[in-house]
mmCIF file of all heavy atoms in Angstrom:
data_model
loop_
_atom_site.group_PDB
_atom_site.id
_atom_site.type_symbol
_atom_site.label_atom_id
_atom_site.label_comp_id
_atom_site.label_asym_id
_atom_site.label_seq_id
_atom_site.Cartn_x
_atom_site.Cartn_y
_atom_site.Cartn_z
ATOM 1 N N VAL R 93 -24.548 -63.265 -28.677
ATOM 2 C CA VAL R 93 -24.554 -62.000 -27.936
ATOM 3 C C VAL R 93 -25.982 -61.524 -27.692
ATOM 4 O O VAL R 93 -26.359 -61.170 -26.567
ATOM 5 C CB VAL R 93 -23.757 -60.913 -28.694
ATOM 6 C CG1 VAL R 93 -23.938 -59.544 -28.019
ATOM 7 C CG2 VAL R 93 -22.278 -61.271 -28.746
ATOM 8 N N GLU R 94 -26.802 -61.533 -28.752
ATOM 9 C CA GLU R 94 -28.177 -61.045 -28.638
ATOM 10 C C GLU R 94 -29.005 -61.918 -27.701
ATOM 11 O O GLU R 94 -29.789 -61.415 -26.891
ATOM 12 C CB GLU R 94 -28.839 -60.994 -30.023
ATOM 13 C CG GLU R 94 -28.224 -59.973 -30.971
ATOM 14 C CD GLU R 94 -28.125 -58.578 -30.358
ATOM 15 O OE1 GLU R 94 -29.128 -58.137 -29.733
ATOM 16 O OE2 GLU R 94 -27.073 -57.931 -30.489
ATOM 17 N N LYS R 95 -28.833 -63.240 -27.805
ATOM 18 C CA LYS R 95 -29.592 -64.155 -26.946
ATOM 19 C C LYS R 95 -29.222 -63.957 -25.481
ATOM 20 O O LYS R 95 -30.081 -63.935 -24.602
ATOM 21 C CB LYS R 95 -29.331 -65.605 -27.357
ATOM 22 C CG LYS R 95 -30.132 -66.613 -26.547
ATOM 23 C CD LYS R 95 -29.840 -68.035 -26.978
ATOM 24 C CE LYS R 95 -30.631 -69.041 -26.133
ATOM 25 N NZ LYS R 95 -30.328 -70.444 -26.502
ATOM 26 N N THR R 96 -27.917 -63.789 -25.221
ATOM 27 C CA THR R 96 -27.465 -63.598 -23.843
ATOM 28 C C THR R 96 -27.992 -62.288 -23.270
ATOM 29 O O THR R 96 -28.502 -62.246 -22.145
ATOM 30 C CB THR R 96 -25.922 -63.626 -23.758
ATOM 31 O OG1 THR R 96 -25.444 -64.862 -24.293
ATOM 32 C CG2 THR R 96 -25.447 -63.477 -22.319
ATOM 33 N N LEU R 97 -27.881 -61.228 -24.056
ATOM 34 C CA LEU R 97 -28.373 -59.919 -23.599
ATOM 35 C C LEU R 97 -29.873 -59.942 -23.345
ATOM 36 O O LEU R 97 -30.367 -59.287 -22.413
ATOM 37 C CB LEU R 97 -28.027 -58.838 -24.633
ATOM 38 C CG LEU R 97 -26.554 -58.430 -24.721
ATOM 39 C CD1 LEU R 97 -26.344 -57.477 -25.889
ATOM 40 C CD2 LEU R 97 -26.084 -57.777 -23.417
ATOM 41 N N SER R 98 -30.612 -60.696 -24.165
ATOM 42 C CA SER R 98 -32.068 -60.760 -23.992
ATOM 43 C C SER R 98 -32.461 -61.487 -22.704
ATOM 44 O O SER R 98 -33.597 -61.367 -22.242
ATOM 45 C CB SER R 98 -32.708 -61.470 -25.196
ATOM 46 O OG SER R 98 -32.396 -62.846 -25.202
ATOM 47 N N SER R 99 -31.524 -62.224 -22.128
ATOM 48 C CA SER R 99 -31.804 -62.953 -20.880
ATOM 49 C C SER R 99 -31.529 -62.109 -19.645
ATOM 50 O O SER R 99 -31.748 -62.558 -18.522
ATOM 51 C CB SER R 99 -30.949 -64.233 -20.809
ATOM 52 O OG SER R 99 -31.283 -65.120 -21.855
ATOM 53 N N ILE R 100 -31.008 -60.884 -19.853
ATOM 54 C CA ILE R 100 -30.689 -59.987 -18.740
ATOM 55 C C ILE R 100 -31.629 -58.788 -18.728
ATOM 56 O O ILE R 100 -31.666 -58.002 -19.680
ATOM 57 C CB ILE R 100 -29.236 -59.480 -18.827
ATOM 58 C CG1 ILE R 100 -28.238 -60.643 -18.891
ATOM 59 C CG2 ILE R 100 -28.915 -58.586 -17.624
ATOM 60 C CD1 ILE R 100 -26.798 -60.207 -19.134
ATOM 61 N N SER R 101 -32.399 -58.652 -17.661
ATOM 62 C CA SER R 101 -33.204 -57.450 -17.454
ATOM 63 C C SER R 101 -32.607 -56.696 -16.274
ATOM 64 O O SER R 101 -31.764 -57.232 -15.545
ATOM 65 C CB SER R 101 -34.667 -57.809 -17.188
ATOM 66 O OG SER R 101 -34.777 -58.655 -16.058
ATOM 67 N N THR R 102 -33.016 -55.463 -16.083
ATOM 68 C CA THR R 102 -32.447 -54.641 -15.006
ATOM 69 C C THR R 102 -33.555 -54.039 -14.146
ATOM 70 O O THR R 102 -34.702 -53.922 -14.575
ATOM 71 C CB THR R 102 -31.568 -53.502 -15.573
ATOM 72 O OG1 THR R 102 -32.369 -52.683 -16.434
ATOM 73 C CG2 THR R 102 -30.388 -54.055 -16.356
ATOM 74 N N SER R 103 -33.181 -53.671 -12.935
ATOM 75 C CA SER R 103 -34.135 -53.057 -12.014
ATOM 76 C C SER R 103 -33.387 -52.237 -10.974
ATOM 77 O O SER R 103 -32.234 -52.535 -10.641
ATOM 78 C CB SER R 103 -34.971 -54.139 -11.319
ATOM 79 O OG SER R 103 -35.831 -53.568 -10.333
ATOM 80 N N THR R 104 -34.057 -51.220 -10.457
ATOM 81 C CA THR R 104 -33.487 -50.424 -9.361
ATOM 82 C C THR R 104 -34.181 -50.757 -8.040
ATOM 83 O O THR R 104 -33.913 -50.139 -7.019
ATOM 84 C CB THR R 104 -33.622 -48.913 -9.635
ATOM 85 O OG1 THR R 104 -35.003 -48.610 -9.873
ATOM 86 C CG2 THR R 104 -32.800 -48.494 -10.846
ATOM 87 N N ASP R 105 -35.082 -51.738 -8.077
ATOM 88 C CA ASP R 105 -35.829 -52.120 -6.875
ATOM 89 C C ASP R 105 -35.680 -53.612 -6.626
ATOM 90 O O ASP R 105 -36.419 -54.437 -7.163
ATOM 91 C CB ASP R 105 -37.312 -51.761 -7.058
ATOM 92 C CG ASP R 105 -38.137 -52.027 -5.805
ATOM 93 O OD1 ASP R 105 -37.549 -52.448 -4.780
ATOM 94 O OD2 ASP R 105 -39.369 -51.831 -5.844
ATOM 95 N N ALA R 106 -34.717 -53.955 -5.788
ATOM 96 C CA ALA R 106 -34.414 -55.367 -5.538
ATOM 97 C C ALA R 106 -35.600 -56.113 -4.941
ATOM 98 O O ALA R 106 -35.893 -57.253 -5.315
ATOM 99 C CB ALA R 106 -33.204 -55.474 -4.614
ATOM 100 N N ALA R 107 -36.304 -55.474 -4.023
ATOM 101 C CA ALA R 107 -37.405 -56.148 -3.328
ATOM 102 C C ALA R 107 -38.512 -56.581 -4.280
ATOM 103 O O ALA R 107 -39.190 -57.582 -4.041
ATOM 104 C CB ALA R 107 -37.971 -55.230 -2.246
ATOM 105 N N SER R 108 -38.685 -55.847 -5.364
ATOM 106 C CA SER R 108 -39.786 -56.147 -6.293
ATOM 107 C C SER R 108 -39.465 -57.283 -7.258
ATOM 108 O O SER R 108 -40.355 -57.778 -7.947
ATOM 109 C CB SER R 108 -40.147 -54.886 -7.096
ATOM 110 O OG SER R 108 -39.100 -54.550 -7.997
ATOM 111 N N VAL R 109 -38.199 -57.722 -7.315
ATOM 112 C CA VAL R 109 -37.827 -58.745 -8.313
ATOM 113 C C VAL R 109 -37.377 -60.071 -7.706
ATOM 114 O O VAL R 109 -37.143 -61.034 -8.435
ATOM 115 C CB VAL R 109 -36.719 -58.222 -9.260
ATOM 116 C CG1 VAL R 109 -37.212 -57.029 -10.054
ATOM 117 C CG2 VAL R 109 -35.447 -57.879 -8.502
ATOM 118 N N VAL R 110 -37.263 -60.134 -6.379
ATOM 119 C CA VAL R 110 -36.737 -61.371 -5.773
ATOM 120 C C VAL R 110 -37.820 -62.388 -5.439
ATOM 121 O O VAL R 110 -37.514 -63.513 -5.041
ATOM 122 C CB VAL R 110 -35.914 -61.076 -4.491
ATOM 123 C CG1 VAL R 110 -34.703 -60.233 -4.815
ATOM 124 C CG2 VAL R 110 -36.775 -60.417 -3.421
ATOM 125 N N HIS R 111 -39.082 -62.027 -5.618
ATOM 126 C CA HIS R 111 -40.168 -62.926 -5.199
ATOM 127 C C HIS R 111 -40.196 -64.231 -5.989
ATOM 128 O O HIS R 111 -40.681 -65.258 -5.496
ATOM 129 C CB HIS R 111 -41.531 -62.223 -5.337
ATOM 130 C CG HIS R 111 -41.814 -61.729 -6.717
ATOM 131 N ND1 HIS R 111 -42.401 -62.518 -7.676
ATOM 132 C CD2 HIS R 111 -41.574 -60.527 -7.303
ATOM 133 C CE1 HIS R 111 -42.515 -61.827 -8.794
ATOM 134 N NE2 HIS R 111 -42.022 -60.615 -8.599
ATOM 135 N N SER R 112 -39.662 -64.220 -7.225
ATOM 136 C CA SER R 112 -39.728 -65.431 -8.046
ATOM 137 C C SER R 112 -38.344 -65.974 -8.425
ATOM 138 O O SER R 112 -38.233 -66.826 -9.292
ATOM 139 C CB SER R 112 -40.529 -65.151 -9.326
ATOM 140 O OG SER R 112 -39.901 -64.116 -10.071
ATOM 141 N N THR R 113 -37.316 -65.467 -7.774
ATOM 142 C CA THR R 113 -35.959 -65.889 -8.135
ATOM 143 C C THR R 113 -35.545 -67.134 -7.343
ATOM 144 O O THR R 113 -36.039 -67.386 -6.245
ATOM 145 C CB THR R 113 -34.951 -64.741 -7.904
ATOM 146 O OG1 THR R 113 -33.740 -65.018 -8.582
ATOM 147 C CG2 THR R 113 -34.643 -64.567 -6.418
ATOM 148 N N ASP R 114 -34.626 -67.910 -7.927
ATOM 149 C CA ASP R 114 -34.106 -69.094 -7.237
ATOM 150 C C ASP R 114 -32.864 -68.763 -6.419
ATOM 151 O O ASP R 114 -32.593 -69.409 -5.409
ATOM 152 C CB ASP R 114 -33.736 -70.176 -8.260
ATOM 153 C CG ASP R 114 -34.929 -70.626 -9.082
ATOM 154 O OD1 ASP R 114 -35.994 -70.855 -8.497
ATOM 155 O OD2 ASP R 114 -34.786 -70.739 -10.318
ATOM 156 N N LEU R 115 -32.124 -67.760 -6.892
ATOM 157 C CA LEU R 115 -30.854 -67.418 -6.261
ATOM 158 C C LEU R 115 -30.611 -65.920 -6.309
ATOM 159 O O LEU R 115 -30.766 -65.299 -7.359
ATOM 160 C CB LEU R 115 -29.705 -68.137 -6.990
ATOM 161 C CG LEU R 115 -28.268 -67.764 -6.595
ATOM 162 C CD1 LEU R 115 -27.974 -68.165 -5.156
ATOM 163 C CD2 LEU R 115 -27.268 -68.432 -7.546
ATOM 164 N N VAL R 116 -30.230 -65.362 -5.173
ATOM 165 C CA VAL R 116 -29.808 -63.957 -5.102
ATOM 166 C C VAL R 116 -28.309 -63.953 -4.828
ATOM 167 O O VAL R 116 -27.849 -64.540 -3.847
ATOM 168 C CB VAL R 116 -30.531 -63.197 -3.972
ATOM 169 C CG1 VAL R 116 -29.947 -61.779 -3.826
ATOM 170 C CG2 VAL R 116 -32.023 -63.120 -4.235
ATOM 171 N N VAL R 117 -27.553 -63.308 -5.714
ATOM 172 C CA VAL R 117 -26.112 -63.168 -5.514
ATOM 173 C C VAL R 117 -25.811 -61.690 -5.276
ATOM 174 O O VAL R 117 -26.091 -60.859 -6.137
ATOM 175 C CB VAL R 117 -25.304 -63.677 -6.726
ATOM 176 C CG1 VAL R 117 -23.805 -63.551 -6.441
ATOM 177 C CG2 VAL R 117 -25.655 -65.120 -7.056
ATOM 178 N N GLU R 118 -25.266 -61.394 -4.123
ATOM 179 C CA GLU R 118 -24.956 -60.000 -3.756
ATOM 180 C C GLU R 118 -23.502 -59.687 -4.073
ATOM 181 O O GLU R 118 -22.600 -60.440 -3.709
ATOM 182 C CB GLU R 118 -25.260 -59.813 -2.264
ATOM 183 C CG GLU R 118 -24.703 -58.543 -1.647
ATOM 184 C CD GLU R 118 -23.274 -58.736 -1.127
ATOM 185 O OE1 GLU R 118 -23.039 -59.732 -0.422
ATOM 186 O OE2 GLU R 118 -22.413 -57.887 -1.449
ATOM 187 N N ALA R 119 -23.291 -58.569 -4.775
ATOM 188 C CA ALA R 119 -21.933 -58.133 -5.121
ATOM 189 C C ALA R 119 -21.839 -56.614 -4.945
ATOM 190 O O ALA R 119 -21.449 -55.885 -5.863
ATOM 191 C CB ALA R 119 -21.589 -58.536 -6.549
ATOM 192 N N ILE R 120 -22.215 -56.131 -3.750
ATOM 193 C CA ILE R 120 -22.173 -54.698 -3.484
ATOM 194 C C ILE R 120 -20.900 -54.364 -2.703
ATOM 195 O O ILE R 120 -20.016 -55.192 -2.541
ATOM 196 C CB ILE R 120 -23.438 -54.213 -2.735
ATOM 197 C CG1 ILE R 120 -23.516 -54.836 -1.325
ATOM 198 C CG2 ILE R 120 -24.699 -54.557 -3.520
ATOM 199 C CD1 ILE R 120 -24.604 -54.238 -0.432
#
Side-chain angles (χ1 to χ4, degrees):
V93 172
E94 294 308 315
K95 182 180 179 182
T96 303
L97 288 173
S98 70
S99 297
I100 304 174
S101 58
T102 59
S103 175
T104 55
D105 185 2
S108 69
V109 297
V110 297
H111 57 87
S112 60
T113 196
D114 299 315
L115 172 65
V116 174
V117 182
E118 167 272 312
I120 65 170

